[in-house]
Each structure stands twice: as structure tokens, then as C-alpha cells.
Amino acid sequence: MSTVVQAEKAGAKIVDWYSCIISRSIDQAILLKEQASALVKNMEPNDKILAYYSLVEFRHEMLLRQNAGMEEEERFSKIEPILENTVDHLLKYLYYFISGQNEYINERYKSAIKLFRKAERLLEYVDDDAEEAEFYYYAGAVCYRLNQYPFATSYVEQAKTIFDSLGYVDKGLNCQIIIAATNSEVGKYEKADEILKNALQQAEMHLETKALILRTLGLNAIRKREWEEAEHYFKSALAIKEHRQSPVSMKSQYNLANVLFRLQRDLEAREFFKKAEVGILYYRNTEYSARSLVTKGLYIENGNLALVNKGIDLLREHSLEFEIAEVAEETSAYLEKAGKSQEALKYMKVAYEAKLNQNALGVDQE
């Protein structure tokens, strides 16, 4: 007969498990998940601990990049009634923060930032430096995706300071990637290169992150219109097994294909584009679904602007204004080279309007 486990003992094990998730100690997290699951299975009735377990389990699945064991709405609907009747601020914080992370991963950035704002109001109840840094990192990442660069940099710099003090090298390097990306997107290409190359020197023991740094160097090279340099960085990233096996690889394959099309190496470009399309479809990535439509319209279907416009409309539906500006400028350059100046001017106007929007649009307050 199984011995009934005290809720406090199960709760303590869940805390240990969550700490491993934050530090990305994957093997230890997997072990502690098994131990926590066994304790919860035999635990005395306690809805609050069950809610903690469910949230941390979901965060564990996000870390491993697996699909949730149940539908997101079903998982969170079981926790919401508990939140209404609890004064446990930490539980409420975890709910808003982990829900926000889920929205971020699924590219619902405006929804994510609203949830992060609710979590931030409860941050004072979080008595863990690593957890606080994790919050700042994700808040910065979503601000970056919403083109709110000053806020993004402020949050991520706070996260990096804490991660560095804790000795979380990999986490600190990921912060540097976002800081460099914000510099790249506002045209400070040399500064972005400097940050990324400094990070690259520290990343030899962190191969997946090293690949992300190389990929970001490739994106920066695209913005500088240094196509051969971009090709080198994307191929270097894809040469790393850990990157090829990650969901981000489909983005690098797409970016490499796009660069090769611009270099007029169509045969090689089509090979990488086909691989990228498989990943984009599998992961249902909105941004790269839209970008692939633009690339297909321009380089595979020889200037099919209906596909280009479909891609731009998809980006617009998700308020991805920076991305609209990038693909519109690319389309304009393609049309200008083809001698279609009037149509090229039209897409330059689209790019200009998108840049105005990304600076003007905020996020609805709550």
C-alpha cells in the first residue's frame, strides 16, 4: 500500500525541478520530473500543489520542445478556478509568466506582453534570482519582437547581469544575441557584429547557442547586403548538429536559400528551400510561412506578386511590421533590377509605411 506523501514534500521537489528547468539542466530536470510525478501521484489532496505541478510540467515540455500532453486551453482552464480562490502570489505569477511564455513561443506577441505585464506586478513575490532573470529575458524577447527596442534592451540587460552573476553562461550568451539583434534592426551593424563575435568566443562549450550566434551574424550580414558573408554564417550554423536537430534550423535553411537565390545560385537555393518548407509547415511558423511565400513569388515563380502580397498580408495580420519592411524592400530591389520602377516604388512605400508603424504602434494597455 502506498504511503501518502505530504503536499509540502511534493512542493519542494517541484521547486527543485523548476530550478533545473530555468538553468537548462535538462538531464537533471527529466530525473526530477519523474521524482515529482511519483510524489504528486501519492500526495494528499492539495489543489494548489497540483496547479504548481501542472504549470511546471508545461514549462518542462516547452524546454524539451515537445507538444503539450493536453490542449493548452484544457490545461490552463483547470488552474484558473484555483487562482480565483488563492492568495498565493507566486502561483499567480507562475500562471501568468508560463502562459506568457506559451504565447511567445506560439508567436502571439501582443498576448504574451499583456501576460508578462501581469506577471511583472507579482515579481516582488519571486524570491529567486534565476527566476527573476528568466522573467526579464522573456519580457525583453517579446518587446524585441514587437519592435519596442529600448524596453527590450533594458529588460535583457537586467537579465544578463543576473545570469552572469549566477554563472549561467549559456543564458548570458542568449541575452547578448537579443541585444545584438536589436542593434542590427536599428542599423547599428558594426555594433551588432562586435557583440556577436565577442559572444562567439565564449560559446565553444555551448554548441546550440553558438549556432544561434552564427545565425544572427548571418541575419546581420543580410541587412548589410553582404550575401557571401551571410551564406558563410548560415552554413556554419547548419554544420552544427545541435542546430540541425532544432526547430530553428528551418529558419536558417530558409535564410540560406533566400541568400542563394539573391546570389543567383538557384539550383542550390531550391534544395535548401524545400528543406525549409518542410520545417515551416511542421512547426506552423507564421513569420517564415509569410517569408517563404515572398521568396517563392520572387525567385521560384519569377515575380508572382500575388504570392508576395499574400505573404505581406500574413505578416500584417500578426503586426510583424519590421518583417514587412524587410520583405517589401527585398521585393522593391527585385523589381528595380527587372526594370519595373513603378512597381518597385510601390513596395518601397509599403516598406516605409511599415517602418513608421513599427515606431508608432505600441501594445494595448490593460
Side-chain angles (χ1 to χ4, degrees), residues 344-363:
L345 179 60
K346 171 187 170 184
Y347 285 94
M348 280 305 295
K349 289 180 178 178
V350 171
Y352 176 72
E353 289 172 2
K355 287 179 179 179
L356 288 179
N357 286 339
Q358 80 177 58
N359 292 326
L361 291 178
V363 181

Side-chain angles (χ1 to χ4, degrees), residues 109-110 113 139-153 181-182 185-186 223 287 291 315 318-326 354-363:
Y109 301 123
K110 288 190 175 182
I113 197 63
V142 78
C143 285
Y144 161 68
R145 292 311 312 249
L146 289 168
N147 312 122
Q148 305 294 310
Y149 300 123
F151 292 108
T153 302
T182 60
E185 292 195 9
V186 299
R223 294 178 190 126
E287 177 191 341
R291 286 184 180 273
L315 292 171
H318 291 80
S319 302
L320 295 172
E321 299 293 337
F322 177 82
E323 291 73 15
I324 292 172
E326 281 199 325
K355 287 179 179 179
L356 288 179
N357 286 339
Q358 80 177 58
N359 292 326
L361 291 178
V363 181

Side-chain angles (χ1 to χ4, degrees), residues 57-120:
E57 181 184 38
F58 189 51
R59 181 65 183 87
H60 181 94
E61 290 162 359
M62 287 193 285
L63 173 68
L64 299 182
R65 301 183 179 90
Q66 296 173 348
N67 293 324
M70 62 178 78
E71 291 298 322
E72 297 160 17
E73 292 80 4
E74 181 185 348
R75 183 187 299 271
F76 291 130
S77 68
K78 291 184 176 183
I79 300 171
E80 286 170 355
I82 299 171
L83 287 178
E84 293 174 3
N85 300 309
T86 185
V87 293
D88 189 320
H89 298 297
L90 182 58
L91 179 58
K92 289 182 177 180
Y93 165 82
L94 281 175
Y95 174 80
Y96 292 131
F97 180 46
I98 293 174
S99 300
Q101 287 178 299
N102 181 56
E103 295 299 284
Y104 172 80
I105 289 169
N106 286 289
E107 302 179 274
R108 297 187 287 262
Y109 301 123
K110 288 190 175 182
S111 174
I113 197 63
K114 289 177 181 178
L115 287 162
F116 287 152
R117 284 199 180 112
K118 291 180 178 179
E120 189 168 19

Side-chain angles (χ1 to χ4, degrees), residues 161-191:
T161 297
I162 299 172
F163 284 138
D164 287 349
S165 71
L166 295 172
Y168 288 8
V169 176
D170 187 62
K171 291 282 190 177
L173 291 171
N174 276 279
C175 291
Q176 285 180 264
I177 291 172
I178 293 180
I179 294 168
T182 60
N183 278 276
S184 179
E185 292 195 9
V186 299
K188 296 181 179 179
Y189 307 126
E190 291 184 8
K191 181 65 174 176

Side-chain angles (χ1 to χ4, degrees), residues 3 5 118 162 187 198 205 223 288 311 317:
T3 303
V5 174
K118 291 180 178 179
I162 299 172
N198 177 60
M205 301 300 292
R223 294 178 190 126
Y288 278 79
E317 285 174 22

Side-chain angles (χ1 to χ4, degrees), residues 114-298:
K114 289 177 181 178
L115 287 162
F116 287 152
R117 284 199 180 112
K118 291 180 178 179
E120 189 168 19
R121 294 172 196 145
L122 299 164
L123 195 58
E124 64 181 288
Y125 298 102
V126 175
D127 188 24
D128 184 280
D129 289 343
E131 172 69 11
E132 185 179 353
E134 185 86 343
F135 170 80
Y136 289 138
Y137 172 80
Y138 272 96
V142 78
C143 285
Y144 161 68
R145 292 311 312 249
L146 289 168
N147 312 122
Q148 305 294 310
Y149 300 123
F151 292 108
T153 302
S154 176
Y155 278 125
V156 175
E157 284 178 345
Q158 289 182 79
K160 184 178 183 304
T161 297
I162 299 172
F163 284 138
D164 287 349
S165 71
L166 295 172
Y168 288 8
V169 176
D170 187 62
K171 291 282 190 177
L173 291 171
N174 276 279
C175 291
Q176 285 180 264
I177 291 172
I178 293 180
I179 294 168
T182 60
N183 278 276
S184 179
E185 292 195 9
V186 299
K188 296 181 179 179
Y189 307 126
E190 291 184 8
K191 181 65 174 176
D193 269 338
E194 179 186 344
I195 294 168
L196 291 166
K197 288 174 181 177
N198 177 60
L200 197 59
Q201 293 176 357
Q202 305 170 49
E204 283 304 319
M205 301 300 292
H206 306 274
L207 292 179
E208 190 169 348
T209 302
K210 179 181 178 180
L212 293 177
I213 295 167
L214 289 165
R215 166 179 160 69
T216 310
L217 281 162
L219 294 173
N220 194 47
I222 287 177
R223 294 178 190 126
K224 294 187 293 181
R225 301 184 183 279
E226 298 286 349
W227 312 124
E228 289 85 0
E229 181 182 331
E231 177 191 0
H232 163 72
Y233 284 127
F234 290 127
K235 284 186 173 178
S236 297
L238 288 166
I240 296 173
K241 181 182 70 174
E242 287 79 0
H243 187 60
R244 291 197 306 274
Q245 294 174 345
S246 78
V248 186
S249 66
M250 60 89 180
K251 299 181 182 180
S252 296
Q253 288 165 343
Y254 164 82
N255 294 128
L256 177 56
N258 180 265
V259 164
L260 292 169
F261 277 125
R262 297 196 204 201
L263 288 169
Q264 298 183 319
R265 286 157 53 189
D266 287 19
L267 187 61
E268 188 181 5
R270 285 171 184 260
E271 290 179 10
F272 282 104
F273 189 78
K274 286 178 182 178
K275 293 177 184 177
E277 277 195 309
V278 172
I280 290 167
L281 181 63
Y282 180 78
Y283 290 109
R284 295 179 291 180
N285 184 281
T286 300
E287 177 191 341
Y288 278 79
S289 294
R291 286 184 180 273
S292 69
L293 286 170
V294 174
T295 291
K296 183 180 288 186
L298 292 179

